[in-house]
Amino acid sequence: MTSLISITIPQELITALHEAKHVLVFTGAGVSAESGISTFRDPLTGLWERFDPEDLATANGFRQDKALVWGWYEWRRMKVLKARPNPAHRAIAELAQHVPRLTVVTQNVDDLHERAGSTDVLHLHGSLHSPRCFACARPFSFPPGIPDEPEGGRRLCPPQCSHCGGDIRPGVVWFGENLPEDTLKQAFAAARECDLLFAIGTSGIVQPAARIPSLAKKAGAKLVQVNPQGTPLDYECTWSLRGGAGKIMPSLVQMAFLWS
Ligand code: BV8
Ligand code: ZN
């Protein structure tokens, strides 16, 4: 039964949190929205306005116009470096102090969960902070500091690999690329073991990540969705909390653990 409710947190959810042995927090771009990081559903701006992220976030997109794609990722990396974790990231890190086991599985390529204090975060789609050579896959290290990207961005030629001269590419999983096998295995195992799964800020479209909530539900977990919009997950969730994660998650942790 799905009860669509406002920000008031149902007592049964508080009880489920108190009784949970293993909580899985599954996040998408929406958890970073209140840090000023645009989601994939937000329209692109500036130089990339007329592109669909799903075209830019591909190996072909990079082959066709590596400076356009590298410029987009450097602009996003700059935004992340300048951003700060928001109350949702901090509440998720705090939650880990109050339950026996908590696993964070994220689709995001930013490091805001880690900067808020979450540990052992499973990044299904890689990270903006781990570029590598497109030809020989050797890791590349960015020079220190924040790239100075003008608002709206610009084309930027990627650096070259010092080993083979190949182009450096972002350390993310592009559409049409496989997810890191071991990370995905760990995420699926956590989904099957958890007894309470939070799906926070995800439209639940991108596969195979989008399978995680239903895997958890099939294994008997209760699902909570936190999202200001409706998503296909509404029909699978035990509770669907309508609103921004930056407000809902701190309230939830306070009501469940800090006030009781
Ligand atoms: C794969 C890294 C096997 C890059 C990402 C045809 C050819 C090839 C593959 C496919 C194909 N058709 C389908 C596929 C599979 C494809 C796929 O799922 N496509 C979709 C579009 C249907 N998947 C893949 O390609 C995956 N690989 O399948 O490999 C294979 C191999 C070869 C050939 C075939 C198959 C790889 C998928 C990974 C792609 N990389 N990221 C980068 O970041 O640039 S995915 C990227 O998009 C993000 O990382 C993120 O995961 C995803 C967007 O999803 P969300 O996180 O949910 O974000 P979104 O913007 O959609 O939603 C935000 C939500 O937040 C909204 O609901 C909004 O309401 C909410 N929100 C907003 N504000 C708040 C909020 N919520 C709470 N609080 C707020 N304040
Ligand atoms: Zn190389």
Side-chain angles (χ1 to χ4, degrees), residues 12-241:
E12 303 89 335
L13 171 52
I14 303 276
T15 312
L17 255 176
H18 288 155
E19 292 167 355
K21 303 245 173 332
H22 182 180
V23 174
L24 193 160
V25 174
F26 174 58
T27 63
V31 81
S32 297
E34 288 158 272
S35 296
I37 305 298
S38 24
T39 71
F40 259 65
R41 296 309 116 195
D42 295 333
L44 284 180
T45 55
L47 194 64
W48 308 289
E49 198 170 357
R50 56 196 167 83
F51 293 95
D52 179 335
E54 277 149 39
D55 298 330
L56 289 178
T58 60
N60 273 347
F62 186 71
R63 284 189 200 98
Q64 271 160 24
D65 191 340
K66 60 191 177 186
L68 179 82
V69 174
W70 183 257
W72 182 47
Y73 280 92
E74 276 299 86
W75 182 75
R76 289 171 62 191
R77 186 170 73 93
M78 174 272 294
K79 301 288 272 184
V80 167
L81 288 168
K82 289 184 174 171
R84 293 159 49 79
N86 68 58
H89 296 110
R90 290 201 294 274
I92 291 164
E94 169 74 26
L95 184 56
Q97 313 303 319
H98 300 280
V99 293
R101 190 173 163 208
L102 185 137
T103 306
V104 179
V105 176
T106 190
Q107 301 171 84
N108 300 339
V109 292
D110 64 52
D111 59 346
L112 296 172
H113 279 304
E114 289 87 346
R115 286 161 57 191
S118 289
T119 55
D120 307 323
V121 176
L122 295 176
H123 280 269
L124 295 176
H125 296 155
S127 162
L128 287 171
H129 302 299
S130 51
R132 63 176 187 272
C133 176
F134 197 30
C136 74
R138 267 182 175 71
F140 174 79
S141 321
F142 282 116
I146 298 182
D148 60 340
E149 275 300 296
E151 196 49 38
R154 63 188 150 121
R155 277 186 159 69
L156 211 54
C157 276
Q160 251 64 46
C161 168
S162 55
H163 178 78
C164 77
D167 290 319
I168 298 301
R169 58 158 287 172
V172 302
V173 178
W174 276 329
F175 288 98
E177 293 185 326
N178 287 315
L179 278 61
E181 206 178 321
D182 188 45
T183 308
L184 188 60
K185 254 200 208 125
Q186 289 179 62
F188 281 176
R192 292 193 182 96
E193 272 158 30
C194 73
D195 34 26
L196 187 58
L197 179 140
F198 284 86
I200 305 175
T202 181
S203 55
I205 294 169
V206 174
Q207 295 296 350
R211 287 179 47 203
I212 287 176
S214 42
L215 275 177
K217 178 160 184 178
K218 261 193 218 103
K222 291 198 174 76
L223 305 188
V224 196
Q225 174 165 239
V226 178
N227 195 320
Q229 311 276 336
T231 76
L233 265 178
D234 280 332
Y235 305 100
E236 297 207 39
C237 283
T238 321
W239 301 285
S240 213
L241 308 181

